[in-house]
Amino acid sequence: AAVLAQGAAKSSVFALIAELAAIACGCPAERVAAYRRIGEATCTMRQVANDIRDIYGKRASGDLACGRVTVPIAAFHARADAAQRAELARLTLELPGSLEPIRRLLLAAGAIQAAAAAMEAARRQIHADVLAARGRGGPLDLYRAFVDAMAGELYRPPAVLPAPVHRAA
C-alpha cells in the first residue's frame, strides 16, 4: 500500500488534470471527485505496468539494479519467506545475469499476481466511476477501453459488468 501511495504521489499531477478539467467544465462536486478518482486509479495502473515492464519487458532492470522498491518488489517482501528474501538479495548482487532467476522467484512468491491484483482493483474503480458518472454508450467508453487495453498488456482482464439501467417508474 505504501509503494502504491508513493507511486500515486509521484504522478498525482495527472489526477489533478482530470479534476481541474471537471471543475473547468462546471461539473458538480461528486463528479469532480469521480474524475479525480479516475485519474488516481489510472496513475496506479500505469505505475504497476511500468514496474512490471521494468522487470519482465527489458534485458536489464534499472529498478532492480538501483535497488528501487517497486510494487512487485514490495509485494514480494510482503509474501516471501526469509529464504526467498535472502535469495532475492543474493540474486540482485549478481545482476544483470540473474534477471531470469529473479523473474521466476517473483512469480513463485506471488508478487506478480499481487501487483496485477492492485492493477485490476484500479481498473475496476475506473469502470465503476465512469459508469456511475456517465453510464454506458458515452464518450468515456473509449477511456474504459483504454484502461482495459493497458491491463491487457499484462494479463487478461475480466469483463466488467454493465452499470444497472435505471428506468422511470
Side-chain angles (χ1 to χ4, degrees), residues 7 10 13 18 24 27 29-30 38-39 47 50 65 68 78 98 100 116 141 147 151:
K10 270 188 348 188
V13 69
C27 293
E30 58 276 356
I38 291 167
Q47 186 65 51
N50 288 344
R68 288 188 194 99
S98 60
E100 193 55 42
D141 278 354
V147 297

Side-chain angles (χ1 to χ4, degrees), residues 3-158:
V3 174
L4 285 171
Q6 179 184 10
K10 270 188 348 188
S11 54
S12 63
V13 69
F14 299 109
L16 183 60
I17 290 169
E19 182 179 18
L20 291 174
I23 291 169
C25 291
C27 293
E30 58 276 356
R31 186 164 292 174
V32 170
Y35 283 121
R36 172 121 188 126
R37 285 190 307 274
I38 291 167
E40 289 168 345
T42 303
C43 292
T44 295
M45 288 186 70
R46 196 75 246 147
Q47 186 65 51
V48 172
N50 288 344
D51 289 352
I52 292 174
R53 190 173 295 108
D54 179 76
I55 297 169
Y56 288 88
K58 299 178 179 179
R59 290 180 186 243
S61 167
D63 288 344
L64 288 172
C66 292
R68 288 188 194 99
V69 180
T70 62
V71 174
I73 297 302
F76 173 82
H77 284 291
R79 287 159 181 72
D81 60 29
Q84 289 172 313
R85 286 192 294 275
E87 180 66 359
L88 178 61
R90 183 188 72 74
L91 289 169
T92 301
L93 293 173
E94 297 175 2
L95 283 167
S98 60
L99 185 56
E100 193 55 42
I102 289 173
R103 290 171 174 163
R104 287 192 300 270
L105 184 62
L106 293 175
L107 280 169
I112 302 307
Q113 297 85 338
M119 190 172 185
E120 179 60 17
R123 185 185 77 90
R124 288 184 175 275
Q125 180 67 53
I126 291 167
H127 276 276
D129 283 329
V130 167
L131 291 171
R134 304 293 296 179
R136 285 186 161 283
L140 288 180
D141 278 354
L142 183 59
Y143 197 79
R144 292 173 56 236
F146 162 74
V147 297
D148 287 351
M150 188 182 348
E153 293 175 7
L154 302 174
Y155 62 94
R156 196 168 288 145

